[in-house]
Amino acid sequence: MSDVDLADLDAFAAVARARSFRSVARLRGVSASTLSEALRRLESRLGVRLLNRTTRSVTPTEAGQRLLERLGPALSEVAAALDAVNGFRDSPTGTLRLNVPTAVARLVMPPIIGPFLSAHPGIVLEVTTEDSFVDVLAAGFDAGIRYDERLEKDMIAVPIGPRAQRFVVAGAPAYFATHGRPTHPKDILNHACIRHRFASGVMHAWEFERDGEVIKITPTARVIANSIDLEVAAAIQGLGLIATFEGFVEQELKSGVLEPVLVDWLQPFSGPFLYYPSRRHMPAPLRAFVDFIKKR
């Protein structure tokens, strides 16, 4: 089996873990057909089918699962050996792949990426925005950023960005002039609201807390969207109340086109964490990023 290409084995492992040609292709910047050809080549050389492929799913065969179990540690060792050479460079090279939620992409990452890449010109930073929790290793990422309630216990977590953030409920002055201002969270049930729907289809309840009392409200939606820009625009036009990260509407609050309400019911919460799996060897680009974040 000496004629088996290591790159083909790596492609098989990535697709088998992610159970998707498209997601791996998107992450690696190649076409799905290129990965499919690598799999066909590998299966031809091994003389056995490794993946069951349909239009809706990709799953390892019994032989594929057995190969994946034995291949994973070996590929990790190869990657670690190659990356060890990176340690002898003045500045590491390679691609750092991060998976982050929308709020982090917009509010936390912008002031970080410039200084980091200036300090490490040999690193390419690839950021994928996704609000659901993902298995970073299976999806092909080096690390993820999430809030503490979404972290898995076997992950190493490093604080990143502001250590406190908060939500705000706000509306346009014209809206309040017509409909009045809520003075208690339950008053929101009598107001039109602008709600955010996540890619999973979920629309979270609005949560309020004061003096130990927690109230969750499922408001009546006038506008439902998965675009924060559209949601903010709708609020400015007086179409209803919006509940979102304070940072998303910071300028609108400063200019007065939106005004906050129920401020004493919205408590600060912990900022996000960079998380990555505990393992013996950390890729050089990730190590450089972790060190950079810790210094900040």
Side-chain angles (χ1 to χ4, degrees):
M1 296 301 174
S2 59
D3 60 341
V4 172
D5 194 314
L6 183 62
D8 291 349
L9 289 170
D10 182 57
F12 156 72
V15 171
R17 287 195 192 102
R19 302 200 171 197
S20 169
F21 282 89
R22 288 185 178 180
S23 62
V24 174
R26 185 172 61 251
L27 189 64
R28 296 190 170 197
V30 299
S31 66
S33 60
T34 297
L35 291 174
S36 184
E37 176 58 33
L39 263 294
R40 282 195 294 268
R41 192 163 52 239
L42 180 61
E43 288 175 332
S44 175
R45 288 176 178 172
L46 294 179
V48 63
R49 176 173 287 278
L50 299 173
L51 296 175
N52 291 316
R53 285 160 276 193
T54 70
T55 56
R56 293 188 176 183
S57 67
V58 177
T59 57
T61 63
E62 184 177 353
Q65 185 61 39
R66 186 69 59 85
L67 177 61
L68 181 63
E69 291 170 358
R70 299 293 297 272
L71 191 61
L75 287 174
S76 295
E77 285 299 317
V78 171
L82 294 173
D83 196 63
V85 178
N86 240 342
F88 290 92
R89 299 176 182 271
D90 292 333
S91 178
T93 63
T95 300
L96 173 62
R97 297 180 174 90
L98 300 178
N99 185 287
V100 311
T102 302
V104 168
R106 295 190 62 160
L107 303 177
V108 176
M109 292 301 293
I112 291 175
I113 58 176
F116 172 68
L117 293 178
S118 293
H120 299 284
I123 292 179
V124 174
L125 179 63
E126 183 173 336
V127 179
T128 296
T129 301
E130 192 169 9
D131 287 311
S132 60
F133 190 83
V134 298
D135 182 334
V136 290
L137 275 185
F141 297 97
D142 297 301
I145 299 177
R146 289 297 185 275
Y147 290 87
D148 55 2
E149 74 274 11
R150 304 299 300 278
L151 295 178
E152 294 183 4
K153 290 183 171 53
D154 61 346
M155 293 286 179
I156 296 174
V158 178
I160 183 171
R163 298 326 307 142
Q165 292 180 278
R166 64 186 302 154
F167 284 108
V168 64
V169 174
Y175 176 86
F176 292 133
T178 304
H179 302 282
R181 296 171 182 267
T183 58
H184 188 278
K186 292 181 180 179
D187 294 341
I188 287 178
L189 294 173
N190 299 318
H191 286 264
C193 294
I194 299 159
R195 302 193 65 190
H196 183 83
R197 188 187 296 279
F198 291 91
S200 63
V202 171
M203 291 194 297
H204 290 307
W206 293 9
E207 186 171 315
F208 301 86
E209 180 181 354
R210 187 176 69 179
D211 299 330
E213 181 184 8
V214 177
I215 298 176
K216 292 185 178 181
I217 301 292
T218 302
T220 301
R222 179 82 186 280
V223 175
I224 300 172
N226 65 355
S227 163
I228 185 60
D229 294 327
L230 178 59
E231 293 158 34
V232 172
I236 292 172
Q237 293 174 47
L239 300 180
L241 303 178
I242 185 173
T244 190
F245 278 86
E246 188 175 40
F248 284 168
V249 291
E250 183 177 11
Q251 295 305 315
E252 288 77 9
L253 292 173
K254 286 181 178 178
S255 67
V257 295
L258 290 179
E259 298 176 352
V261 292
L262 303 174
V263 175
D264 56 341
W265 279 93
L266 294 163
Q267 306 303 317
F269 54 86
S270 175
F273 292 82
L274 173 75
Y275 73 96
Y276 52 93
S278 175
R279 55 189 176 189
R280 184 176 58 186
H281 181 81
M282 186 187 301
L286 177 57
R287 166 56 63 192
F289 189 66
V290 170
D291 290 344
F292 179 84
I293 294 303
K294 286 182 176 179
K295 288 179 181 177
R296 287 174 68 94

